[in-house]
Amino acid sequence: MAAIGILGTGRVGSNLARALVTAGHTVVIGSRTPESAAGGRDAVPGATYTGPRDAARTSDIVISALPGHVALDQLAELSTELRGKVLVDIANATTGAPTMRPLHTDASLAEHLQRALPGTRVVKTLNTMLFTVMTDPGSLTTPPTAFLSGDDTEAKRAVASLLGDLGWREEWIEDLGDVTTARATEALILLVPHVVRQHGLRPFAVSLAR
């Protein structure tokens, strides 16, 4: 099992950490206040809490569960620690509610991360669903789709394997191609305010029907 670093201690990061610990991975959670996070109500039993730099440095795969509007600045500060690592970007960088429009209009957040971190292999995924579906895709009545975008084939293969540990079947994972294809999945955030307004925060995901 790989050592997984998760940057971010909110409900998204904690949800992923809990599932990955259950799957048998070594999970290190990076927080700017690790002692407080380890003692908080969302603390994950079996995970280790440390600072963001240590979490990135000691992990094989790093998942950014940071809010999309701060992810670029905070991850750029970790360029040394992230060099050579696989960085899983699951965020959508948006303006505030209620519009929630993409913050970057020239390229996707994933592309900006890849440019800022040229020594890191960025893979975009899991950004087209409510966070609960990330770790329980089988809970939906319609099989969801986890899209992959990234320039490195081996990195995408490693992330697909990690998704398998979270319950994603191989046929539910769609490799779209290089990192520029993340523009398409990040644009799907335009659907979210309307879906939530109609149905509330019920679990949902985008699904590619064939």
Side-chain angles (χ1 to χ4, degrees):
M1 290 290 183
I4 309 299
I6 298 179
L7 305 180
T9 56
R11 58 185 182 178
V12 178
S14 298
N15 181 55
L16 285 165
R18 196 169 290 109
L20 290 167
V21 167
T22 300
H25 290 281
T26 298
V27 175
V28 181
I29 300 176
S31 169
R32 295 190 173 186
T33 56
E35 291 184 2
S36 176
R41 65 177 184 178
D42 292 327
V44 179
T48 300
Y49 287 79
T50 186
R53 291 191 185 279
D54 283 342
R57 180 179 53 81
T58 59
S59 301
D60 303 308
I61 297 175
V62 178
I63 300 173
S64 172
L66 299 167
H69 65 284
V70 301
L72 180 58
D73 289 340
Q74 292 191 21
L75 291 171
E77 296 176 358
L78 305 176
S79 59
T80 298
E81 291 79 11
L82 289 171
R83 185 172 296 121
K85 306 294 178 70
V86 175
L87 175 65
V88 185
D89 169 30
I90 63 174
N92 290 304
T94 66
T95 59
T99 56
M100 292 181 66
R101 296 190 179 278
L103 190 62
H104 303 291
T105 57
D106 59 327
S108 63
L109 171 61
E111 288 174 86
H112 281 288
L113 288 171
Q114 189 62 84
R115 293 170 189 170
L117 302 164
T120 303
R121 297 174 289 168
V122 177
V123 178
K124 187 83 180 193
T125 192
L126 296 180
N127 63 307
T128 55
M129 62 200 68
L130 192 68
F131 75 96
T132 56
V133 180
M134 296 177 182
T135 59
D136 192 13
S139 64
L140 300 182
T141 56
T142 301
T145 303
F147 299 98
L148 296 176
S149 298
D151 293 337
D152 190 286
T153 300
E154 289 299 321
K156 286 189 287 186
R157 187 172 292 120
V159 173
S161 177
L162 198 64
L163 292 179
D165 293 338
L166 294 174
W168 289 86
R169 298 182 184 177
E170 185 177 352
E171 62 268 26
W172 296 350
I173 301 172
E174 185 75 19
D175 185 346
L176 294 178
D178 66 28
V179 73
T180 65
T181 63
R183 298 181 191 184
T185 58
E186 289 188 27
L188 291 170
I189 191 64
L190 295 173
L191 286 170
V192 172
H194 310 297
V195 172
V196 171
R197 185 170 58 250
Q198 292 293 330
H199 304 286
L201 289 175
R202 291 172 55 189
F204 69 89
V206 173
S207 179
L208 182 62
R210 289 188 178 87

